[in-house]
Amino acid sequence: MRLLLVEDEPNIARPVLRALEAQGHQVRHAPDLTTARALLAEAEPDLMVLDVRLPESEDGGFILAREARAAGYKGPILFMTARDALADRVMGLDEGGDDYVVKPFDLPELLARVRALLRRVSEVKQSRVQRGPLELDLAQRSVRWEGRLVELSPREYALLERLALFPGRVYSPEELLDLIWGEEASDTGVVKVCVHHLRNKLDSSVVRTVPGGYRLGVEP
């Protein structure tokens, strides 16, 4: 896969770059926002790993993500940053990020998050996701459970798709509220109601309640 790594700290960029290349990826590295913009204009990567604080701006990674999404970039974006406040994590998601890892991080964890995001890329290209008895057609936005077509509302589908694309990841109600409803809702009670409807329409096991929030309840 082709990756773009944007990181201005050499002591972080070097080991991350080596580790990603060791896993067979073609990685282009940018130490600043200007270089990142130029590399992104030359070739669209399959995934971007972005530091947030860059020489040109404290929000450099967020700015690049926003510009890329506005230009039509649909690949995953992983932020890695020392900014660990809730407001920063929410901003990262709002600007088009798919995942967020806080410095200092363990390299194996970062690599695992990259693998998870790249699995989604492969699945999206295939336009179909299979998780045990659950099957999603991403192009048609349709869902089957044990082969049976199940009609879902747009919100129900969006929540289920998010969980299915990132199996194993726990989403807090606040994250799901932000990702699925945005500014249209402020009460996490709508998330609980949506999960309840999914369990009724599909199966009680399809969404699991765990410490910290919800995750997909069926095995890949």
Side-chain angles (χ1 to χ4, degrees):
M1 292 285 193
R2 297 166 302 173
L3 275 59
L4 174 61
L5 170 65
V6 183
E7 170 60 67
D8 64 321
E9 299 180 44
N11 60 331
I12 295 177
R14 279 196 294 268
V16 171
L17 181 62
R18 284 199 297 267
L20 291 172
E21 288 180 336
Q23 297 208 336
H25 301 302
Q26 299 175 17
V27 188
R28 306 184 80 184
H29 171 234
D32 53 58
L33 185 56
T34 302
T35 305
R37 283 170 170 155
L39 292 179
L40 192 57
E42 290 177 4
E44 183 173 290
D46 294 303
L47 179 146
M48 292 198 285
V49 180
L50 307 181
D51 187 12
V52 175
R53 289 192 178 108
L54 296 174
E56 298 95 330
S57 170
E58 286 288 299
D59 293 334
F62 292 157
I63 292 171
L64 185 65
R66 186 191 315 143
E67 292 175 350
R69 293 300 188 206
Y73 178 71
K74 298 187 183 305
I77 296 175
L78 168 62
F79 290 112
M80 55 178 192
T81 174
R83 292 170 55 169
D84 61 351
L86 174 60
D88 291 322
R89 299 198 300 273
V90 170
M91 182 181 294
L93 294 172
D94 281 345
E95 298 293 4
D98 296 278
D99 203 355
Y100 201 104
V101 62
V102 177
K103 298 176 182 175
F105 54 81
D106 291 325
L107 192 53
E109 180 188 356
L110 178 73
L111 297 178
R113 289 176 183 270
V114 168
R115 287 196 296 273
L117 290 169
L118 289 176
R119 279 198 296 273
R120 194 198 76 174
V121 172
S122 298
E123 289 168 343
V124 168
K125 286 179 177 177
Q126 294 170 4
S127 190
R128 191 174 296 275
V129 173
Q130 182 81 44
R131 306 290 185 210
L134 176 67
E135 181 180 346
L136 279 77
D137 186 321
L138 304 179
Q140 299 296 323
R141 295 178 66 82
S142 64
V143 174
R144 290 181 182 273
W145 179 265
E146 296 181 332
R148 172 177 58 91
L149 186 64
V150 181
E151 186 173 343
L152 301 180
S153 73
R155 300 289 192 203
E156 292 162 358
Y157 176 84
L159 193 153
L160 185 64
E161 181 188 87
R162 169 61 57 163
L163 298 182
L165 288 175
F166 301 95
R169 175 169 172 184
V170 176
Y171 284 90
S172 70
E174 291 78 12
E175 280 182 291
L176 291 172
L177 183 71
D178 180 69
L179 288 166
I180 309 301
W181 282 266
E183 296 180 351
E184 296 181 19
S186 57
D187 183 354
T188 57
V190 297
V191 177
K192 184 177 181 180
V193 171
C194 190
V195 168
H196 176 72
H197 288 166
L198 284 173
R199 287 168 173 163
N200 281 344
K201 291 183 176 181
L202 297 165
D203 186 87
S204 59
S205 66
V206 70
V207 180
R208 183 171 298 175
T209 302
V210 297
Y214 302 101
R215 72 172 178 83
L216 192 69
V218 293
E219 298 300 323

